[in-house]
Amino acid sequence: MQPPFLLNRRHFSVAAFWTGVLGSCAAGAAQPATILVLGDSLSAEYGLRRGSGWVALLEQRLAREKIAARVVNASISGETTSGGRSRLPALLSQHRPSHLVLELGGNDALRGLPLTMTQDNLSWMTQAAQKAGAKVLLVGMQVPPNYGADYARRFAALFVQVARAQKAAVVPFLLQGVADGPDPTRLFQPDRIHPREEAHPIMLGNVWPELKKLLS
């Protein structure tokens, strides 16, 4: 008979097993979130100083709020939803994001591409990211009135429609407070398409509340 409290080899094996399991769980819990931003020039710092766009400001905000997360900015100027759709599978495989911020669609409208194609591409990318385990935030865009009232209305609505259908989060308009002010040209670069540096904190302010909900 063993003396009280004397552990034999079997006990040590069991203890080592549970120590490993608990250690793995703790390590998994401590893993930071990975936020993949897939966007166009509005997220790629077109015409701006490096580090001054809203995605860079997002990294700073995460650090200030002590939220363990890294940001991967895979945005490309001129990107369409079709281009994003073709690139997304490799990005998901490479970065394994916990969150996807999908900021695409504006260039589709500028090129006059069919709204049904834009909507289908956004739906496909949302589903692909969700199947890969990522929470999705769709970031919407609007077009000027000269595109026609009906087209502008349907284009603005499709982001919310996709989000509702796919049970994803949505920011209806990235440029709220930038493009809809009394003097909308004030916050834009000379091309009147790309926001100036001082507009990007406003853009982050539109994205942050919804993204923070997904991170909590």
Side-chain angles (χ1 to χ4, degrees), residues 19 67 81-82 84 91 172-173:
T19 300
I67 296 175
T81 58
S82 295
L91 291 170
F173 187 27

Side-chain angles (χ1 to χ4, degrees), residues 7 31 48 62 64 95 100-101 112 114 126 135 174 192 205:
L7 299 178
Q31 287 295 316
L48 304 177
L62 291 164
R64 285 200 308 270
H95 299 291
L100 171 67
V101 178
T126 301
K135 297 178 180 179
L174 175 61
R192 298 192 177 188

Side-chain angles (χ1 to χ4, degrees), residues 108-177:
D108 292 37
L110 290 176
R111 299 182 185 189
L113 300 177
L115 293 179
T116 52
M117 184 183 74
T118 300
Q119 187 163 349
D120 178 66
N121 286 336
L122 290 173
S123 297
W124 188 94
M125 286 186 281
T126 301
Q127 291 175 357
Q130 289 172 335
K131 289 177 182 176
K135 297 178 180 179
V136 179
L137 174 61
L138 282 160
V139 179
M141 186 48 56
Q142 295 181 16
V143 294
N146 59 295
Y147 280 72
D150 181 64
Y151 181 91
R153 177 187 56 79
R154 290 189 295 124
F155 179 77
L158 70 83
F159 297 94
V160 175
Q161 291 169 358
V162 171
R164 286 176 178 169
Q166 307 304 329
K167 295 181 173 56
V170 63
V171 174
F173 187 27
L174 175 61
L175 298 182
Q176 183 177 354

Side-chain angles (χ1 to χ4, degrees), residues 11 27 37 50 65 84 87 96 106 111 124 130 134 136 149 156 161 169 177-179 210-211:
H11 292 126
V37 180
R50 296 304 91 182
E65 302 216 3
R87 291 198 296 129
R96 302 187 182 279
R111 299 182 185 189
W124 188 94
Q130 289 172 335
V136 179
Q161 291 169 358
V178 176
E210 293 303 322
L211 180 58

Side-chain angles (χ1 to χ4, degrees), residues 8-143:
N8 61 24
R9 187 180 305 168
R10 179 175 60 82
H11 292 126
F12 277 115
S13 298
V14 173
F17 169 78
W18 282 110
T19 300
V21 170
L22 293 174
S24 298
C25 292
Q31 287 295 316
T34 297
I35 304 168
L36 174 65
V37 180
L38 183 58
D40 52 34
S41 56
L42 298 180
S43 301
E45 296 188 328
Y46 179 90
L48 304 177
R49 292 183 302 116
R50 296 304 91 182
S52 64
W54 77 264
V55 179
L57 298 179
L58 169 62
E59 294 185 85
Q60 297 172 24
R61 183 67 179 264
L62 291 164
R64 285 200 308 270
E65 302 216 3
K66 295 180 172 53
I67 296 175
R70 71 184 184 104
V71 178
V72 177
N73 192 355
S75 303
I76 297 177
S77 294
E79 187 72 290
T80 62
T81 58
S82 295
R85 178 171 178 166
S86 68
R87 291 198 296 129
L88 182 59
L91 291 170
L92 293 175
S93 177
Q94 178 182 356
H95 299 291
R96 302 187 182 279
S98 56
H99 298 76
L100 171 67
V101 178
L102 188 53
E103 182 275 302
L104 289 173
N107 287 315
D108 292 37
L110 290 176
R111 299 182 185 189
L113 300 177
L115 293 179
T116 52
M117 184 183 74
T118 300
Q119 187 163 349
D120 178 66
N121 286 336
L122 290 173
S123 297
W124 188 94
M125 286 186 281
T126 301
Q127 291 175 357
Q130 289 172 335
K131 289 177 182 176
K135 297 178 180 179
V136 179
L137 174 61
L138 282 160
V139 179
M141 186 48 56
Q142 295 181 16
V143 294

